[in-house]
Amino acid sequence: MANTLFDATLHLAAKFAGRGDHADAITVMVPWASWNLPPFENTILAYNLAQMFLKLGDVDSALAWFDWGLEHDRAIRRTLIAEGKAALLYEQGRRDEADAMWAQMQAEGWLDDAGRQRIAANRKTAAAAR
Amino acid sequence: MPADNTMLQQLSESIALVAKLMDRGEHADALTAMAPWADAPLADMQKTVVANNIAHIYVAMQRPVEALAWFDWGLPFERRLGRTLLAEGRAGLLKQLGRDDGVG
């Protein structure tokens, strides 16, 4: 039951976001962070919340939600949140921090082939931009 | 969790959103916004508020069976508080339906 409601929440949040009601999307999603979702769902929640806060121009809150999601990301050996945070850090000019995150992802060995190529490309682009 | 909001503040914001959605006639969306709160670790007072909101959403959706079920779900919390909002809401709905189950 919980996942059905969570799926419905995500659909509703997407509907709100589609019409520019980002604050309402946040309102329906935030409570779920307290309700013991499995790690995968928490990474989806964190990623979506971070994106909604970015739409509102609130970078600090977006980074905070990425940070909240990182432990759930790591619990299931995924990099959705880590890559999201690294990308945001890079966009914010915090390139050393972004590169450190990419390097960590490469070192941890969880990336699939596409992920390895993606991260390597990111690091190469970042290095060329220095 | 990074948000500064407490759970009560989150609930308050959800209720405000639900009211907005109800004003627009977006009852299904209001239900989606409110229903998850039924499983949240809330105090009895907040449980009755959730029950009342969900029941009235179902009333607006013309689904009295579900509405009555949500009034019933909230009644134990309400009785512990010595309040009667849900009981009165339930009785009112039964009266509208032409029923009198005698629950006060």
Side-chain angles (χ1 to χ4, degrees):
Chain A
M1 180 56 130
N3 281 342
T4 302
L5 282 175
F6 182 59
D7 289 345
T9 296
L10 292 180
H11 280 106
L12 182 59
K15 181 172 157 182
F16 288 152
R19 61 190 193 200
D21 292 334
H22 304 113
D24 288 347
I26 289 169
T27 295
V28 296
M29 287 194 286
V30 162
W32 283 93
S34 302
W35 295 342
N36 297 317
L37 287 169
F40 176 76
E41 282 78 358
N42 273 328
T43 63
I44 302 299
L45 183 68
Y47 188 85
N48 278 278
L49 278 165
Q51 296 305 321
M52 288 303 98
F53 277 109
L54 284 175
K55 291 288 187 182
L56 294 176
D58 186 348
V59 173
D60 288 343
S61 292
L63 284 170
W65 279 105
F66 277 138
D67 284 339
W68 179 81
L70 276 173
E71 78 168 270
H72 304 291
D73 213 31
R74 298 179 66 78
I76 52 176
R77 299 167 72 88
R78 287 169 59 97
T79 58
L80 172 68
I81 301 302
E83 290 190 58
K85 183 181 177 185
L88 179 55
L89 288 171
Y90 187 80
E91 288 167 14
Q92 293 296 308
R94 295 164 63 174
R95 297 184 175 181
D96 287 345
E97 291 174 77
D99 194 64
M101 289 195 71
W102 289 324
Q104 183 178 358
M105 282 182 252
Q106 288 178 318
E108 283 167 342
W110 300 339
L111 295 165
D112 57 14
D113 288 344
R116 277 192 286 274
Q117 289 173 14
R118 194 166 56 242
I119 300 305
N122 288 342
R123 297 195 77 188
K124 186 176 177 183
T125 299
R130 288 180 189 276
Chain B
M1 186 173 61
D4 290 330
N5 289 352
T6 63
M7 189 172 287
L8 291 182
Q9 187 172 352
Q10 290 171 15
L11 177 59
S12 176
E13 290 171 358
S14 290
I15 290 169
L17 173 60
V18 165
K20 185 166 82 173
L21 293 170
M22 291 292 283
D23 282 346
R24 293 183 195 158
E26 295 174 0
H27 304 128
D29 290 347
L31 190 61
T32 298
M34 196 80 259
W37 283 102
D39 290 330
L42 298 170
D44 287 349
M45 173 63 79
Q46 285 75 44
K47 291 276 191 188
T48 65
V49 170
V50 170
N52 196 52
N53 271 274
I54 296 176
H56 280 98
I57 292 169
Y58 276 117
V59 168
M61 296 171 82
Q62 299 184 5
R63 293 169 62 174
V65 172
E66 289 95 334
L68 286 170
W70 279 99
F71 281 130
D72 285 343
W73 177 82
L75 281 174
F77 307 113
E78 182 172 81
R79 287 191 189 115
R80 286 203 286 262
L81 298 169
R83 292 164 59 95
T84 58
L85 181 67
L86 293 173
E88 292 170 18
R90 186 180 189 279
L93 178 56
L94 287 173
K95 187 174 179 182
Q96 283 181 27
L97 296 172
R99 291 169 51 186
D100 179 4
D101 289 8
V103 175

